[in-house]
Structure formats: C-alpha cells, structure tokens
Amino acid sequence: MGFLAAISRALGVRRPARGRAAAPAPERPFFAVGDIHGALHLLEDLFAQLEAIDAAAPVICVGDYIDRGEESAAVLRLLAARGGRGAPIVCLRGNHEDMCLAFLDDPGRAGPLWLRNGGLQTLASFGVGIGGGRSLDEVRDDLAAAMGRDLIGWLRALPLSWRSGNVAVVHGGADPRRPIEAQEARHLLWGHPEFLRQPRADGVWVVHGHTIVEAPKAEAGRIAIDTGAYATGRLAAAHVTQGAVRFLSTGR
C-alpha cells in the first residue's frame, strides 16, 4: 500500500471506482469551516487552531453564519473584517444567508420561512425586535439600517462555490450528474436529492455543510463538516491536503 493510500484509509477517505481520483488533491492545502450559526466564541477558538497549524492556508467557510445561535451579527462582522487581512478567507453563501437576503428584498413573502428557521435570533443580535403591531416591512427596515449597506453588500456578493484541484466546497451539496461549474443555485444552497446517495462520476470531492453529522467524515467523494455547532458546542473544520483530510473541532 502506498503512503497516500495508507493515509487515506486511516482517515476514512475511500478510493472511488476506477477512473476517479483516489483521494482529494487540492492545488494547495486549505481549511474548510462548517456551519457557524451565530457561535462567535467557537469560531474564534477554531480560527486560533487553524492559524496554529498553517497561518497562510486559505480558509473556506461553507455558509450559514447566522440564525439559531445568539451572536449572528458579531459573526458576520468578524468574517467580513477578516477578508481584508491575514490568510485568504472565502465565505460562501448558505441557505440561511439566502433566506435573510430574501427577507430584506421581500419581507412579506420570505419573512415567515426565515423567522421559523432562526431569523428571530439574527434580528435580536442586531438589536431588532418583532411584535408590538409592527409590520414585517418595518422590521426589515430596522434590520437593513442595523446591518448597513456595506454588510448587506458583502452578503449579496458571497459566492456559491469554491474549487481547488479535484476538491470543491459548497454549502448544501450538488447534483452528482452535473459539473460543479454547471450547478443550479438551489442545489448548492439547499442540497440535491441524490447528493448523499449517488457518487459523482468526475472524481471531484465535495466539501459541504448543511446536513448535520455527529462527527465530520470523508467518504464516497463527500466531506461533511456540519456538526451542529449552535446546539452541540462543536464547530468543525477540515484540513484538506494532497491525499489526506484531517479534522479539527472545538469541543465539549
């Protein structure tokens, strides 16, 4: 057994069928950070771990920075500020950022879904209340004022995917039958019905969040890193290098 194969087997990285890449092969090592959901202190702890390992490696965040947790505003501001200094950081859009933007655009249509899925915590983190006979349009106006144009513009500009070598990073998943570059936005944000069942035929490994797993794992061409940080206290990251995946986590 070769050296890279031994590492892959030890880490649970399985060899795909003939003709597919045997292991992740990014152009350079990088970190991918799972769903944060307003867990500011976990994010700060995890960033410290990543910097201790490789302070220059790109950090790719898979989305869902807001909702459910209590410090969504602080998480967004931290991520937006880090983009201009230190190691390269790429923040992808998750379905929760998408719901928030939809609320800002059309609160009457998008508000009920977002508020049921953690939007109330995000509003509170920006000091915006709901109730007292106030309309959703008024709540939206208060949120837009609290966020400011720069932060809203940053959210709107977030990409849906990132790729290095034969490794792609997305939020929700991908249609296994289509190239990463030809995916529909809804599948990258919300996942695809066949993503967790059907292996890809192009040898591309997909790092993703969105679907909570008990522990991060790499298998069958998928690297899952959403460990439900807002509820578990565990925020996970994958360190993806040539032929290997190592997982890190904050931890209870």
Side-chain angles (χ1 to χ4, degrees):
M1 181 186 298
F3 177 68
L4 292 181
I7 293 177
S8 297
R9 176 170 292 185
L11 290 169
V13 179
R14 300 180 181 178
R15 180 182 298 276
R18 185 181 300 275
R20 302 179 193 168
E27 295 169 3
R28 61 177 293 191
F30 71 90
F31 296 103
V33 174
D35 302 32
I36 299 162
H37 281 303
L40 175 66
H41 298 302
L42 298 183
L43 179 61
E44 292 173 331
D45 289 348
L46 188 62
F47 274 161
Q49 290 188 48
L50 307 188
E51 290 170 359
I53 295 169
D54 186 348
V59 177
I60 318 303
C61 298
V62 302
D64 280 9
Y65 315 119
I66 61 172
D67 301 346
R68 306 197 190 283
E70 303 300 325
E71 299 178 284
S72 295
V75 167
L76 289 181
R77 289 167 178 153
L78 173 63
L79 291 173
R82 279 183 65 100
R85 60 180 177 81
I89 182 167
V90 177
C91 294
L92 304 182
R93 185 189 297 191
N95 63 303
H96 282 262
E97 288 75 51
D98 205 57
M99 286 190 286
C100 178
L101 289 170
F103 173 75
L104 290 167
D105 291 337
D106 190 346
R109 177 185 63 82
L113 175 65
W114 184 49
L115 296 177
R116 288 197 306 270
N117 285 278
L120 288 174
Q121 288 93 334
T122 295
L123 289 173
S125 74
F126 280 99
V128 176
I130 188 170
R134 300 170 71 246
S135 70
L136 287 177
D137 283 344
E138 291 172 313
V139 174
R140 182 273 310 276
D141 292 345
D142 287 349
L143 177 61
M147 293 180 73
R149 291 183 180 180
D150 289 348
L151 191 55
I152 294 173
W154 180 82
L155 275 180
R156 291 194 188 280
L158 295 179
L160 299 182
S161 65
W162 180 89
R163 183 167 175 176
S164 179
N166 73 340
V167 186
V169 185
V170 304
H171 175 68
D175 183 342
R177 301 163 300 184
R178 303 182 69 175
I180 295 298
E181 296 75 16
Q183 297 286 320
E184 294 184 38
R186 63 192 175 105
H187 294 148
L188 296 175
L189 291 167
W190 293 89
H192 185 276
E194 296 301 316
F195 173 63
L196 297 177
R197 297 195 289 260
Q198 179 179 330
R200 297 187 64 82
D202 58 6
V204 173
W205 284 78
V206 179
V207 184
H208 68 97
H210 188 63
T211 301
I212 295 176
V213 291
E214 184 175 352
K217 58 184 179 180
E219 60 183 15
R222 296 177 291 266
I223 301 172
I225 55 173
D226 178 8
T227 49
Y230 70 94
T232 65
R234 299 191 307 273
L235 177 60
H239 187 202
V240 185
T241 61
Q242 281 283 339
V245 181
R246 173 190 175 192
F247 295 112
L248 304 96
S249 178
T250 64
R252 288 179 189 164

